[in-house]
């Protein structure tokens, strides 16, 4: 699975949780939760959706440091390759 496909799946997971989000307005290098205003429950639901769509489990310790789409894409790509 390439990074572009991972990004597409991440955005699908995000819009499943927050349908009002316009993916084209997001800056992949800026903190995602600030751009989309996700509360902690929505963030948890997003991480569960990432696991379901991409097959990557993101433990709490890692989730705390993965704040941007770029970081999430890189993390998922690395875990999928392993």
């Amino acid at each position: 699975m390439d990074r572009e496909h991972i990004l597409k799946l991440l955005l699908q997971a995000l819009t499943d949780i927050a349908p009002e989000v316009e993916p084209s307005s997001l800056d992949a290098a800026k903190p995602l939760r600030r751009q989309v205003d996700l509360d902690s429950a929505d963030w948890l639901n997003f991480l569960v959706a990432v696991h379901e769509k991409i097959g990557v489990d993101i433990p709490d310790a890692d989730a705390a440091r993965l704040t941007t789409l770029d970081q999430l894409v890189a993390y998922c790509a690395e875990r999928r390759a392993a």
Side-chain angles (χ1 to χ4, degrees):
M1 185 178 299
D2 66 19
R3 288 175 183 252
E4 187 172 322
H5 188 71
I6 291 171
L7 176 59
K8 180 180 176 182
L9 292 173
L10 286 171
L11 292 173
Q12 285 176 354
L14 182 61
T15 56
D16 287 349
I17 302 303
E20 72 280 1
V21 171
E22 180 57 47
S24 63
S25 70
L26 298 175
D27 182 335
K30 291 186 177 180
L32 184 59
R33 287 181 70 179
R34 288 190 194 152
Q35 295 181 76
V36 196
D37 195 30
L38 295 177
D39 63 22
S40 57
D42 286 339
W43 183 250
L44 180 59
N45 288 334
F46 171 66
L47 295 177
V48 169
V50 168
H51 176 73
E52 291 171 354
K53 290 185 180 296
I54 301 175
V56 172
D57 186 33
I58 303 175
D60 290 340
D62 290 342
R65 67 179 176 82
L66 300 172
T67 61
T68 69
L69 279 171
D70 286 341
Q71 291 170 335
L72 285 162
V73 168
Y75 184 90
C76 290
E78 182 181 305
R79 297 305 182 278
R80 291 282 302 169

